[in-house]
Each structure stands twice: as structure tokens, then as C-alpha cells.
Amino acid sequence: MGRIIAPSILAADFNNLGKEIEMINGSEAGYIHCDVMDGVFVPNISFGIPVIQKVYKISRKPLDVHLMIVNPDALIVQFAEAGASIITVHYEVCTSLHRTIQFIKKQGVKTSVCLNPHTPVAVLEDIIADLDMVLLMSVNPGFGGQVFIENTYKKVRQLKSLIESNNPDCLIEVDGGVNYETGKKLFECGADVLVAGSFVFNSENPLETIRQLKLL
Ligand code: DX5
Ligand code: ZN
């Protein structure tokens, strides 16, 4: 399984979003991570469907859409039509998670569930077989540039063992506070996909930073 880097455009320069997407297109990134925030589930608002439509038009990488919104079911069709390749919903807001996952599948989009730092991996036991990916938050969602929560390493190892016995093709993605140090340990614990926002876009050479992250 190759290691995948997913730059989060939350940290990109929105005045030059086209150029930032071109940079990702020419990089070794596997996905473009799109952080959608509603100001209710998380204390911040980012961007939504119109921006994702525009990104999709010029992107040559799959769009990995992370929905930090309270009612994802109401908008899954729109995000699928906007160009999402993977849709991630939060466990904490889905009262009928199985239904939500089947609905995402029906749109021809890959399925992923995200766990906040306080949500134990064990809650996925009865849904893991239906997922293409699990996203573990390594910060509390809402903002880029936060400090990595060390407990995440343990969760990655727990998730790896759950996946090995139930759905070996399911990917493990980690989001928040990724840098060379945390990224290396995450890969060692079994992560497949690393989201990186500020570490990539605030670096002097984002292209090279993406390349180095993949080599960790
Ligand atoms: C946080 C978002 C992250 C964020 C990561 O709510 O889900 O994807 O952009 O940012 P960094 O890499 O700066 O921690
Ligand atoms: Zn994210």
C-alpha cells in the first residue's frame, strides 16, 4: 500500500487558489483534502459546494471531502455532484451512520467516517466492513495549525488491528498537526494517508514538503 499525502487547502492562499491547485496537481500528493465547516459542528466556517465545484474543474487529483457539518445527509448528493471522490462524515453527528454510508455509496463515492479525538475506535466495529477509509482527527476539528494530540498514535494502532481482521483494504487517514516528526510515527503505527495543511502551505517549498512527507 503506497503512502498518500493529502494537502488540506484550508491552509492555501485563497487569493491564489487556482495556483495552489496547480501546485498540488504537479506534486506527489494523492488527494486534495477539502475541509468543509458549518460554524455549528465546529466553531469556524470555511467553504462549501461552490468552491469545491471550482476546485474540481482544475484538479487532477481526487477530492477528499471532509464534512465538518451537523447534517451531512442533506448535502451528500450535492457534494458528490460537485466532484467529491471520497466523502468523510463525522461519527459524532450521524445518528443512522449505516444509512448515511449506504447513501454515499449509492452516489458512486468512496465512504469514510471521521472520529474526533475523544471518540474511541471501538465504535467502528459494526461499520468498518462498509468503509473505504477511516479518518482519525489528531486535533479537535475547526482550525488548521493546532498541536498534534499524542493519544492518536494509540488509536492508529487500534484501528489498524480492527481493519486487519475486518476489512484489510480500508485506509487509515490522520488529520491535524502533521509534520515530519508526527508523520513518521503515524506511518510507523499504520497510517496510510496523512492530511497536511499548514505544514505544507507555510513551508518555503510546498512541492518538496509533500515529496518529503511521502518519503517518511
Ligand atoms: C481541521 C481540519 C484539518 C486542518 C489540518 O479541522 O480538518 O484538515 O486543515 O490543518 P493542519 O495540518 O494545519 O493541522
Ligand atoms: Zn480535514
Side-chain angles (χ1 to χ4, degrees):
M1 180 80 59
R3 292 168 167 187
I4 296 171
I5 305 304
S8 165
I9 54 169
L10 186 66
D13 175 3
F14 289 152
N15 278 334
N16 290 293
L17 192 53
K19 277 190 188 153
E20 302 277 55
I21 302 300
E22 290 303 335
M23 182 281 290
I24 301 175
N25 282 342
S27 78
E28 292 181 35
Y31 306 148
I32 297 184
H33 188 82
C34 303
D35 284 308
V36 177
M37 304 181 183
D38 67 354
V40 181
F41 178 59
V42 290
N44 196 9
I45 295 176
S46 57
F47 53 82
I49 293 156
V51 171
I52 290 180
Q53 283 169 336
K54 293 288 186 192
V55 170
Y56 179 66
K57 275 195 175 168
I58 58 168
S59 167
R60 296 203 300 273
K61 310 275 181 181
L63 301 188
D64 168 29
V65 176
H66 177 192
L67 298 181
M68 286 162 273
I69 64 177
V70 285
N71 187 9
D73 300 73
L75 292 165
I76 280 164
V77 171
Q78 287 90 324
F79 280 107
E81 285 174 0
S85 286
I86 307 163
I87 292 182
T88 297
V89 293
H90 267 261
Y91 171 83
E92 296 82 11
V93 297
C94 292
T95 46
S96 298
L97 183 59
H98 182 268
R99 179 189 289 143
T100 303
I101 292 304
Q102 302 313 315
F103 191 59
I104 295 173
K105 259 186 213 197
K106 218 172 142 190
Q107 313 310 314
V109 173
K110 291 203 167 146
T111 59
S112 162
V113 170
C114 185
L115 303 184
N116 269 343
H118 71 279
T119 305
V121 166
V123 300
L124 297 173
E125 208 177 304
D126 292 299
I127 195 75
I128 194 78
D130 293 297
L131 301 179
D132 295 301
M133 189 167 83
V134 172
L135 173 51
L136 294 178
M137 287 310 301
S138 39
V139 297
N140 287 292
F143 304 94
Q146 301 182 80
V147 176
F148 183 88
I149 297 171
E150 298 280 322
N151 190 53
T152 313
Y153 300 124
K154 179 194 83 185
K155 291 178 78 176
V156 174
R157 286 193 293 266
Q158 288 172 339
L159 180 57
K160 187 74 183 168
S161 110
L162 184 69
I163 282 174
E164 271 167 2
S165 41
N166 290 277
N167 179 5
D169 292 336
C170 182
L171 297 178
I172 300 176
E173 182 176 49
V174 183
D175 187 0
V178 167
N179 55 37
Y180 292 144
E181 193 196 334
T182 57
K184 188 172 166 48
K185 285 194 207 161
L186 288 167
F187 279 142
E188 284 166 3
C189 292
D192 305 291
V193 187
L194 298 183
V195 176
S198 38
F199 192 66
V200 165
F201 288 98
N202 295 347
S203 71
E204 262 179 33
N205 186 343
L207 213 58
E208 181 60 16
T209 305
I210 293 169
R211 201 177 77 83
Q212 292 297 335
L213 280 169
K214 208 170 139 71
L215 288 174
L216 289 176

